[in-house]
Each structure stands twice: as structure tokens, then as C-alpha cells.
Amino acid sequence: MDNLESDQQVIIAGCKGNNSWARKKLYELYAPAMLGICVRYVNEKEAARDILQEGFIKVFTKIKDYSGAGSFEGWMKKIFIMSALEYLRSTKEFRSSVRLDDYEETDDQVDPEVVEQLSADEILRCVNELPFGLKTVFNMYAVEGYSHSEIGQLLNIEESSSRSQFTRAKQLLQVKIKKLYGQKG
């Protein structure tokens, strides 16, 4: 066990013992990464910070359930994703379903060289401009690695809807990236 893992085990044990120093240290270590997850699902910084706080409350409440099997960061990440999804499900924008026929079909593929010329911030901005449903499915599938079956269960939609929304998200991203590249060129 290396020093980082050893420190992490001490912090986890401290959190399980309700020690405030351990909670503070855990927050300091993981808040930036977990805020990144929250922002990926919610565009508003204030809402993302609220989700971050709610997520840490859940982590501190449920930490006694963490058995040590698997990655601790992965365990925490799931809590923050679920917190973000709970928030999204409570919003009007998310509850109103995305009409799949609002986006025209396109077989055009974005040239990989075009994508390479864009910055990560530009690509992230394009993803953030997607409608809530498409953005959520895109993040869960492409970024978080959930299967369409898992996404369907978590979002209470059909697996085929998850697949369709992912396809629509990719198509819309292609259009957005082409427009952005056209503005840069």
C-alpha cells in the first residue's frame, strides 16, 4: 500500500468515526473533482455547488457502508452522479421530455482533425449547450461509462430511448462543432 492509499484509509476511518478533521480533509481532497461532475450535469454554478454540498452530506452519512472493496473515488463518484440526477429529475426542464424529432438526421461526420483543433473548453461548451435530456444521456454514456440499460433504469426511460437520445446528442454535437469550427476558420 503506497502513502496515498494509506492516507486515504486514515481519512476514511476518521470519517467513519465522525471526526471533523477527516471530513474537512476528505472535502478538500475531492471537492474539485466532484464539483466537476456536478457541473457536467448542471450548467448553473450555484446549483452545482448545492449538489456538491448535498453529495458530501450523503457521503458522510453513508461512509460507514463503504466496505473498502473497489475504488473509494468511484464509490463517491456514483453518489455525486445520483445526486445530480435527483436534482435534474426535480427540474421542469428535465421533466419535459426531449422531442426526438426536433433534430434533423445527419449522416455527416465531423473530421477528427477539426475536433483536434478545438480546445477542451470549446468542446465542453458544445456539450453543455445540449438540451438537458440529451446532455444527461451523453454524459452518462460517453463520460461516465454507464450502459444504455443502466441509463434507462436510472432515468426511468426505455433503453431504446437512451440509445436514441445518445445518437441525437452526437448528431447535435456534430452540428455545433462544425459551426464552431466554421467561426474559427
Side-chain angles (χ1 to χ4, degrees):
M1 182 180 319
D2 65 17
N3 207 21
L4 181 61
E5 283 183 49
S6 176
D7 289 348
Q8 185 182 57
Q9 296 300 329
V10 169
I11 293 168
I12 292 169
C15 288
K16 286 183 176 184
N18 292 323
N19 292 312
S20 60
W21 66 266
R23 288 180 173 185
K24 181 177 190 263
K25 189 67 176 168
L26 187 79
Y27 184 89
E28 290 170 352
L29 282 173
Y30 291 103
M34 298 305 126
L35 181 59
I37 291 170
C38 298
V39 168
R40 223 178 10 248
Y41 287 91
V42 181
N43 290 342
E44 301 169 18
K45 282 278 193 191
E46 202 56 44
R49 286 189 191 105
D50 289 346
I51 296 167
L52 180 73
Q53 297 307 317
E54 182 66 31
F56 270 105
I57 289 169
K58 289 177 183 175
V59 166
F60 296 140
T61 302
K62 297 178 179 188
I63 198 160
K64 290 182 181 176
D65 297 338
Y66 176 67
S67 65
S71 159
F72 179 69
E73 188 169 351
W75 178 82
M76 283 182 52
K77 191 176 176 182
K78 284 184 180 180
I79 290 174
F80 284 89
I81 292 168
M82 292 302 120
S83 295
L85 293 177
E86 286 171 16
Y87 172 83
L88 286 174
R89 281 191 289 262
S90 73
T91 64
K92 180 182 175 187
E93 293 89 357
F94 189 79
R95 284 193 310 262
S96 60
S97 63
V98 176
R99 287 178 35 110
L100 295 179
D101 56 352
D102 285 346
Y103 306 103
E104 60 187 59
E105 296 275 341
T106 177
D107 289 332
D108 296 343
Q109 296 293 318
V110 175
D111 183 348
E113 290 181 22
V114 169
V115 176
E116 287 177 12
Q117 294 180 20
L118 300 175
S119 71
D121 285 342
E122 290 170 321
I123 294 170
L124 185 58
R125 188 175 41 223
C126 289
V127 171
N128 281 334
E129 290 173 357
L130 291 172
F132 276 111
L134 299 182
K135 175 181 158 184
T136 302
V137 170
F138 181 84
N139 279 325
M140 292 181 76
Y141 186 81
V143 179
E144 309 297 349
Y146 284 97
S147 70
H148 288 296
S149 174
E150 292 170 317
I151 294 168
Q153 290 173 348
L154 291 169
L155 298 180
N156 199 24
I157 61 174
E158 295 293 324
E159 181 178 338
S160 59
S161 293
S162 175
R163 289 181 192 284
S164 296
Q165 289 193 14
F166 180 70
T167 300
R168 299 294 187 203
K170 288 192 313 184
Q171 291 171 341
L172 196 53
L173 278 173
Q174 289 176 7
V175 170
K176 289 179 177 296
I177 288 171
K178 284 181 181 180
K179 273 187 192 173
L180 186 61
Y181 181 73
Q183 291 171 357
K184 289 184 81 166

